[in-house]
Amino acid sequence: MKKLMAEAVGTFWLVLGGCGSAVLAAGFPELGIGFAGVALAFGLTVVTMAYALGHISGGHFNPAVTLGLWAGGRIGANLVMPYIIAQVVGGMLGAGVLYFIATGAPGFDVHAGFASNGYGALSPAGFSLRAVFISEVILTCGFVLVIMGVTDVRAPAGFAPLAIGLCLTLIHLLSIPVDNTSVNPARSTAVAVFAGGEWMVQLWVFWVAPLVGGGLGGVLYRVLLSDNTPKTVS
């Protein structure tokens, strides 16, 4: 239960801090924090919560990471669904708090997107489904590879949360214009539920592509780069 609580709290913080920076601060008033600020905010949410709660649950805060770590032999299958459910619940709570705050501003329209992910007309720069799908698969794969690498027993101790947060920042710097960056189905679901409409119609992409990428990253590290003695957490 403590592990599930940690995953829920960490994902809550990621959605509130990352999506909140996009909704509340990215373009405010006329000169907000911009894409770079939003990217850094997402990275900082992971750094802070990974240091705070990583020793309890492993600090996944992301269904694609959980699936990738299972595929990579780092966690047992018994944790996969409970972790994913906890992450989605935590993300929804974070989006709920963000919605409560955002609706305190005059003229706020949640149906304009609410930091949701999308392709085509819902992509910030109009990127196609094909481009978005490939982007999500490759970037999530790379994210899981980094996580697997920096948490390997051979890696320098104590720096994993920082490296993971910087990796997530880099991913956002690259792909916010593509689809507002997901690489995290719980984050995508949390805000899409509030935005509704076409944002919910396109949500399947931001489950399928990150999960494929996460699983691929875990398998690649396990097969090609691991020392073949993973310590499975159950």
Side-chain angles (χ1 to χ4, degrees), residues 6-99:
E7 285 299 305
V9 170
T11 314
F12 169 93
W13 188 244
L14 184 147
V15 171
L16 180 61
C19 295
S21 69
V23 171
L24 304 175
F28 178 84
E30 292 184 1
L31 179 63
I33 62 175
F35 284 171
V38 173
L40 183 59
F42 271 100
L44 289 174
T45 62
V46 171
V47 170
T48 51
M49 278 298 167
Y51 274 120
L53 303 177
H55 59 285
I56 299 174
S57 67
H60 301 187
F61 317 140
N62 181 340
V65 171
T66 296
L67 184 68
L69 293 182
W70 167 75
R74 294 290 181 83
I75 65 169
N78 61 305
L79 288 181
V80 174
M81 284 308 301
Y83 266 40
I84 290 175
I85 292 169
Q87 291 154 1
V88 172
V89 170
M92 289 291 297
L93 291 173
V97 171
L98 176 58
Y99 176 80

Side-chain angles (χ1 to χ4, degrees), residues 1-231:
M1 184 58 68
K2 288 182 179 180
K3 291 179 180 179
L4 300 183
M5 285 293 294
E7 285 299 305
V9 170
T11 314
F12 169 93
W13 188 244
L14 184 147
V15 171
L16 180 61
C19 295
S21 69
V23 171
L24 304 175
F28 178 84
E30 292 184 1
L31 179 63
I33 62 175
F35 284 171
V38 173
L40 183 59
F42 271 100
L44 289 174
T45 62
V46 171
V47 170
T48 51
M49 278 298 167
Y51 274 120
L53 303 177
H55 59 285
I56 299 174
S57 67
H60 301 187
F61 317 140
N62 181 340
V65 171
T66 296
L67 184 68
L69 293 182
W70 167 75
R74 294 290 181 83
I75 65 169
N78 61 305
L79 288 181
V80 174
M81 284 308 301
Y83 266 40
I84 290 175
I85 292 169
Q87 291 154 1
V88 172
V89 170
M92 289 291 297
L93 291 173
V97 171
L98 176 58
Y99 176 80
F100 181 79
I101 295 170
T103 51
F108 172 74
D109 181 12
V110 69
H111 303 299
F114 200 50
S116 297
N117 306 110
Y119 61 85
L122 301 187
S123 161
F127 281 84
S128 68
L129 170 59
R130 174 176 56 85
V132 166
F133 196 92
I134 292 172
S135 171
E136 289 293 325
V137 170
I138 297 300
L139 293 177
T140 311
C141 177
F143 189 41
V144 170
L145 276 173
V146 168
I147 293 170
M148 293 282 289
V150 300
T151 56
D152 194 296
V153 293
R154 299 166 294 171
F159 294 100
L162 183 59
I164 294 167
L166 288 174
C167 181
L168 189 60
T169 299
L170 173 62
I171 287 170
H172 278 78
L173 287 172
L174 171 65
S175 63
I176 287 177
V178 178
D179 60 3
N180 270 336
T181 310
S182 172
V183 302
N184 186 336
R187 164 263 190 271
S188 297
T189 301
V191 288
V193 167
F194 284 86
E198 284 298 310
W199 305 103
M200 282 295 293
V201 172
Q202 295 189 5
L203 179 61
W204 68 271
V205 176
F206 304 101
W207 273 91
V208 176
L211 290 177
V212 169
L216 182 61
V219 170
L220 285 176
Y221 192 89
R222 185 176 190 175
V223 172
L224 301 178
L225 301 171
S226 175
D227 63 0
N228 296 316
T229 56
K231 291 179 171 56

